Amino acid sequence: MQVPRDGEDFASQPWYHGPLSRQKAEALLQRDGDFLVRTSGSRGGQPVISCRWRGSALHFEVLRVALRPRPGRPTALFQLEDERFPSLPDLIRSYVTGQRPLTQATGAVASRPVIRQGPIPRSFSEDTLLESPSRIELLRARKWSDSQPAGLEHVGQSREGHSEPGASTVPTFALSSMGSDPVLLKTLAPLGSIGDSLRASDGQLHAKAPTKPPRTPSLVLPDASGQPSTYCELVLRVSTAQGTPPGHRCPEPEAPWWETQEEEEEEERCFARPQAEVSFCCPDNPSGLLGPQNRPLEPKVLRVLRGLFLEHHPGSTALHLLLADCQAAGLLGVTKAKRDAMGVASGLELLTLPHGHRLRSELLERHEVLVLAGALAVLGCTGPLEERTAALRGLVELALALRPGAAGDLPGLAAVMGALLMPQVSRLERTWRQLRRSHTEAALAFEQELKPLMRALDEGAGPCDPGKVALPHVAPAVRLLEGEELPGPGPLDKSCEQLLRTLQGARQIAQDAPKFRKAAAQRLQGFKPNPELQEALTTDFMRRLLWGSRGEGAPRANRLEKFQHVLSVLSQRLEPDC
């Protein structure tokens, strides 16, 4: 396979197809091993490797980690799982020439590139952002290296043959500005802390953080002044060539729903008598993944969901889950009509009040369906042992990305840990043994960090600082207020202490609701969720997925009991001798 050396623009690679939808990419992949690289519009222009394997089209998001420019080291790193590469061509070369699986969970091997037919509009990449026009011209004059394994055409050709005639030396491109300061991403450890700053739209580099710019629909690169710089700073320019009158501002982009309430926080509020119980569940909108009358656990939908979760990094999935949990708990995006109806400003205050029964019931059901869906992700792997092991590892990494100091979504963390600690999952001795053997770091993190953390949270003694936590662990207080027993019964004195801690914690959560709202909004600032993944994490979708459009209306206790039996049967079939 012919791949240029480090520093060259990956947009000129024959396997790079530019902006391409998922459906069009799948139509180009004909045989197992066929692959191409495209940019995903739903992922903010992130590169995605599309590959056909075992008759199915799989899509893998390549995580791009931006670094502060320094002489002698790359300015961005690219990774699929653990190993990081200084450029996207390096990553492709390593996986293709070494015939290595793109991910351990799928075992998919990319072996034959799908060659792009015809030119594509030149797009920016890691070196385009970092090199001056003179450097770009120098790179265009270089010859491609023919020392790599053959397999692609263009061996020994100059790059001029791959450039469009009349192309500008200073590339211009449009970016949707969210009006937020630029963020420099830190290098990720294999299982390490997914920092607060990880967002789907990060990756733009500045020499220093400038003042907050106005919201503007276009950004362009400045002209070079003769000397190549070590970084590129984005400069605002409002185009008037399209008939925009001078002094007339372009319309500002509409802010996401979870950022619309921040301006109203400072107003003085007085208590208003509640009018009715409020629900924060999404309205019954047509599903893009499920039909109007779906059956439980449809195999086609499960395959689509598996591909969605494999395509996203655990840090990205954690932010999607945080957004869904904040909406379900009424922490972000609460309209004035709902605030007037419930008499308080957020769901964290409402769940402690007598008229918060409906919200408490919804939160309990959401926790239960998330736990069942997480357990199904492991128990539904009927293939080899490595497939279940990879599913376990994925859940552990997601839990690490949700913990305090990272995404800080404690309800999401409680659901993932609940799935890992279910009896049907914990009894899989061979699977857990393989996890300790193949993914020792994940196994140690689960035993030494996640399990003690979850035990402390359930006992009301875990971290709840709004600086480290975006959404607090409310399940113990919700169960107590709904008349359910707290987990871990013990001596009377300890039970009373736990009861008092839970009640005091609920009171403190209600008082700190504005701080939690601010912490969650900061983590989600500039975040661009994938619509399909965001829908898949809603309570209504998971309920219909697990029980079907007919079964979801059955009584909650009956639904849970039947699905627990299903999981027990699956677990027994996977490892009958345990």
Side-chain angles (χ1 to χ4, degrees), residues 42-43 289 308 320 528-537:
S42 62
R43 301 295 302 133
L289 297 173
L308 274 175
H320 281 83
K528 297 180 181 178
N530 180 294
E532 291 182 337
L533 182 57
Q534 198 60 40
E535 179 194 352
L537 293 173

Side-chain angles (χ1 to χ4, degrees), residues 332-396:
L332 296 178
V334 183
T335 62
K336 186 177 186 301
K338 286 190 175 182
R339 292 199 302 273
D340 293 340
M342 63 187 181
V344 288
S346 76
L348 294 184
E349 300 169 81
L350 177 63
L351 63 84
T352 64
L353 301 176
H355 59 285
H357 166 72
R358 183 176 181 180
L359 174 61
R360 292 192 292 270
S361 300
E362 291 175 353
L363 292 178
L364 283 176
E365 183 173 22
R366 175 169 178 79
H367 174 78
E368 289 162 352
V369 296
L370 278 172
V371 170
L372 295 178
L376 181 65
V378 178
L379 300 175
C381 297
T382 57
L385 177 63
E386 290 74 16
E387 185 181 1
R388 294 197 303 276
T389 306
L392 274 183
R393 181 197 181 193
L395 287 179
V396 172

Side-chain angles (χ1 to χ4, degrees), residues 300-559:
K300 181 180 179 181
V301 179
L302 293 176
R303 286 195 297 269
V304 173
L305 292 177
R306 188 166 185 264
L308 274 175
F309 284 101
L310 288 174
E311 183 179 332
H312 288 77
H313 189 272
S316 174
T317 306
L319 290 180
H320 281 83
L321 188 55
L322 172 63
L323 179 57
D325 285 336
C326 286
Q327 184 178 17
L331 183 64
L332 296 178
V334 183
T335 62
K336 186 177 186 301
K338 286 190 175 182
R339 292 199 302 273
D340 293 340
M342 63 187 181
V344 288
S346 76
L348 294 184
E349 300 169 81
L350 177 63
L351 63 84
T352 64
L353 301 176
H355 59 285
H357 166 72
R358 183 176 181 180
L359 174 61
R360 292 192 292 270
S361 300
E362 291 175 353
L363 292 178
L364 283 176
E365 183 173 22
R366 175 169 178 79
H367 174 78
E368 289 162 352
V369 296
L370 278 172
V371 170
L372 295 178
L376 181 65
V378 178
L379 300 175
C381 297
T382 57
L385 177 63
E386 290 74 16
E387 185 181 1
R388 294 197 303 276
T389 306
L392 274 183
R393 181 197 181 193
L395 287 179
V396 172
E397 290 184 338
L398 178 57
L400 289 171
L402 291 166
R403 72 190 190 278
D409 179 9
L410 299 192
L413 171 64
V416 175
M417 290 298 295
L420 292 169
L421 295 173
M422 281 190 70
Q424 294 92 330
V425 177
S426 58
R427 67 173 293 275
L428 302 176
E429 294 181 3
R430 290 203 303 270
T431 307
W432 286 100
R433 190 182 305 118
Q434 182 66 24
L435 179 73
R436 291 189 289 269
R437 182 183 300 121
S438 303
H439 309 291
T440 308
E441 287 187 57
L444 289 176
F446 175 73
E447 294 290 342
Q448 299 180 2
E449 180 178 356
L450 293 176
K451 288 177 70 174
L453 171 63
M454 200 65 243
R455 191 180 305 113
L457 289 172
D458 285 335
E459 294 174 355
C464 197
D465 179 15
K468 295 183 178 180
V469 174
L471 189 60
H473 185 42
V474 297
V478 169
R479 290 193 185 97
L480 182 62
L481 294 172
E482 286 298 296
E484 298 185 9
E485 292 184 1
L486 292 175
L492 181 60
D493 54 347
K494 291 187 177 180
S495 298
C496 291
E497 290 178 4
Q498 183 177 350
L499 175 65
L500 293 175
R501 283 198 303 267
T502 302
L503 292 175
Q504 177 59 30
R507 186 180 298 111
Q508 190 64 42
I509 286 173
Q511 293 177 355
D512 291 340
K515 297 179 181 180
F516 287 118
R517 186 187 304 119
K518 182 178 180 181
Q522 287 176 346
R523 283 168 167 81
L524 294 170
Q525 186 176 11
F527 176 57
K528 297 180 181 178
N530 180 294
E532 291 182 337
L533 182 57
Q534 198 60 40
E535 179 194 352
L537 293 173
T538 60
T539 307
D540 181 66
F541 176 89
M542 288 185 290
R543 190 169 53 232
R544 288 186 57 193
L545 174 70
L546 298 180
W547 291 286
S549 55
R550 294 184 180 181
E552 67 165 341
R556 170 186 158 196
N558 294 345
R559 287 189 283 112

